Amino acid sequence: MSSVEGIKKVADQREFLGIEKQEGNKDFGEFINEAIDKLNNLHVKSGELSNQLAVGDNVELHDVMIAAEEAGTAMRLTMELRNKVLEAYREVIRMPV
């Protein structure tokens, strides 16, 4: 079974149980996808500014450095969040039933 089929089954179960998504609330998956998209956009922006500086375009060095630091900080935060989520998951798995 592919992961997409598994997700569809969960969605079907939600409908079966009468659980509806409330307006304004996001699924965890949607939240994660948006966060990863934002992280990717920060890295793309940083790369573009670095390339523009390298070819001699009119880009301020401090803008390049700020974009690089924002991207780096966002990546470190994302990795720490991932580590905490995995740690919590492992704790739950180790719990006796």
Side-chain angles (χ1 to χ4, degrees), residues 24-78:
N25 290 344
K26 296 180 186 177
D27 287 340
F28 182 72
E30 291 174 8
F31 176 76
I32 295 296
N33 283 336
E34 286 180 12
I36 291 173
D37 286 341
K38 289 178 184 178
L39 176 65
N40 185 48
N41 290 339
L42 285 173
H43 278 277
V44 167
K45 177 184 172 188
S46 174
E48 288 172 353
L49 287 174
S50 296
N51 288 339
Q52 289 175 356
L53 182 68
V55 297
D57 286 350
N58 188 16
V59 178
E60 296 292 333
L61 177 61
H62 66 273
D63 290 335
V64 176
M65 294 304 297
I66 290 170
E69 284 300 315
E70 283 179 348
T73 302
M75 178 60 85
R76 285 190 297 278
L77 175 64
T78 301

Side-chain angles (χ1 to χ4, degrees), residues 82-92 94:
R82 180 203 65 146
N83 292 341
K84 292 294 183 184
V85 167
L86 286 174
E87 184 180 319
Y89 172 76
R90 289 182 186 127
E91 284 293 319
V92 168
R94 281 184 266 186

Side-chain angles (χ1 to χ4, degrees), residues 8-26:
K8 288 180 183 176
K9 286 184 180 183
V10 170
D12 292 341
Q13 290 174 357
R14 182 186 301 175
E15 291 173 16
F16 175 74
L17 295 172
I19 301 171
E20 295 182 19
K21 183 178 157 188
Q22 295 176 357
E23 246 181 82
N25 290 344
K26 296 180 186 177

